[in-house]
């Protein structure tokens, strides 16, 4: 069978679901094109002089890697002139970036984590790009931070790209999740998995165990029960994986199931958690739910969280539906009992 390209897939979706209009299609294709450029930069590594620190910091107070800055610029440049966007927001920029006046403004807002897992760049482990698309509120010509503060349920599309052994683009427009693999020679993304489903049950968890002593009590109880294995209350052994690139950990879960947790802990409580709501948690939660999984903060559905600020952080529990619900129950039981 002839492979289906991303363009062909989007046109077919447009006909079938009538949710993708020409502007949204252009937006997704432009993001995909930018991701191809990032994939090339990542792939060149030391030969392209892209490894190491940029010598600058971002709004989160994190040191930026050269590739954080390069990827951010590639995404901004690719998206500025197409006429499909009103503004962008990025993990690497304090404020929203409006489309320059020289270009026409479209109806969409694009949010991204240009390079996720940047701590892994210099050791040649998979990194990625995460993006989320919202509608620009009616009548807003110059979008500001408040125009981006929409719940995850308002997303019209979301996706991520993993720069791993293969470069993959994972996409949802609210009608399931599809996976495209980059065919490097012609430089086109081809559909390689249609309508991915996450198994509802799992025996694999992903968490940074080095933070254990900082966790809240329900988190301690949940992981202790998994670690107790066959002899414990779960009655079976659990395996653990932690890549420390959210894109790679989520992609494993999309492929074979699992639960990914970045809880709030004593170290991150003041900030609300580690991962960012608008361009990490929301797009991943949308994708995971569209693949039949679940995503919560440990207390509530991530997609229902009403954002208060652009760079807001949240605890994240996502993956196989039954396991995420169970882990969330540990917190709810504690909430109800008034325990910590
Ligand atoms: P980013 O590189 O965009 O700042 O994101 C890093 C995130 C995420 O990708 C990963 O799951 C997590 O940080 C890793 O955290 P630890 O270093 O605490 O393991
Ligand atoms: Mn990230
Ligand atoms: Mn990042």
């Amino acid at each position: 069978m002839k492979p289906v390209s991303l363009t062909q897939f989007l046109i077919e979706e447009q006909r079938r679901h009538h949710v993708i209009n020409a502007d949204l299609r252009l937006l997704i294709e432009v993001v995909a094109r930018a991701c191809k450029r990032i994939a090339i930069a990542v792939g060149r590594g030391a030969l392209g002089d892209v490894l190491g620190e940029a010598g600058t910091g971002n709004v989160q107070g994190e040191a930026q890697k050269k590739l954080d800055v390069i990827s951010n610029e590639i995404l901004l440049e690719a998206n500025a002139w197409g006429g499909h966007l009103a503004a962008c927001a990025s993990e690497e920029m304090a404020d929203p970036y409006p489309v320059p006046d020289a270009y026409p403004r479209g109806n969409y807002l694009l949010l991204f984590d240009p390079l996720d897992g940047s701590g892994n760049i210099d050791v040649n482990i998979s990194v990625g790009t995460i993006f989320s698309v919202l509608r620009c509120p009616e009548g807003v010509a110059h979008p500001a931070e408040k125009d981006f503060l929409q719940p995850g349920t308002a997303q019209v599309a979301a996706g991520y790209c993993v720069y791993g052994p293969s470069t993959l683009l994972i996409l949802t427009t609210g009608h399931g999740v599809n996976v495209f693999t980059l065919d490097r020679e012609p430089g086109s993304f081809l559909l390689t998995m249609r309508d991915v489903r996450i198994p509802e049950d799992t025996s694999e968890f992903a968490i940074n165990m080095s933070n254990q002593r900082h966790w809240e009590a329900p988190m301690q109880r949940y992981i202790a029960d998994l670690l107790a294995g066959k002899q414990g209350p779960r009655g079976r052994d659990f395996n653990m994986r932690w890549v420390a690139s959210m894109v790679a950990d989520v992609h494993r879960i999309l492929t074979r199931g699992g639960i990914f947790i970045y809880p709030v802990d004593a170290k991150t409580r003041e900030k609300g958690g580690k991962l960012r709501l608008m361009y990490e948690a929301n797009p991943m939660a949308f994708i995971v739910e569209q693949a039949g999984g679940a995503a919560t903060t440990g207390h509530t559905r991530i997609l229902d969280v009403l954002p208060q600020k652009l760079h807001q952080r949240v605890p994240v529990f996502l993956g196989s539906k039954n396991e995420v619900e169970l882990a969330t129950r540990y917190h709810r039981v504690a909430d109800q009992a008034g325990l910590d």
Side-chain angles (χ1 to χ4, degrees), residues 2-32:
K2 215 171 159 280
V4 175
S5 70
L6 177 65
T7 305
Q8 193 184 344
F9 172 85
L10 291 172
I11 290 174
E12 281 169 9
E13 282 287 282
Q14 186 175 350
R15 288 190 192 131
R16 211 156 31 131
H17 297 300
H18 307 287
V19 284
I20 304 184
N21 58 37
D23 270 6
L24 183 57
R25 199 174 84 219
L26 178 64
L27 189 162
I28 293 167
E29 293 204 68
V30 169
V31 171

Side-chain angles (χ1 to χ4, degrees), residues 62 91 113 115-118 208 242 244-246 260 262 274-276 280:
E62 299 161 342
E91 173 184 309
D113 174 356
L115 219 278
D116 174 67
S118 43
N208 184 341
W242 184 250
S245 286
M246 190 189 198
F260 169 95
Y262 214 115
K274 158 122 188 190
L275 297 175
R276 279 58 55 116
E280 290 178 320

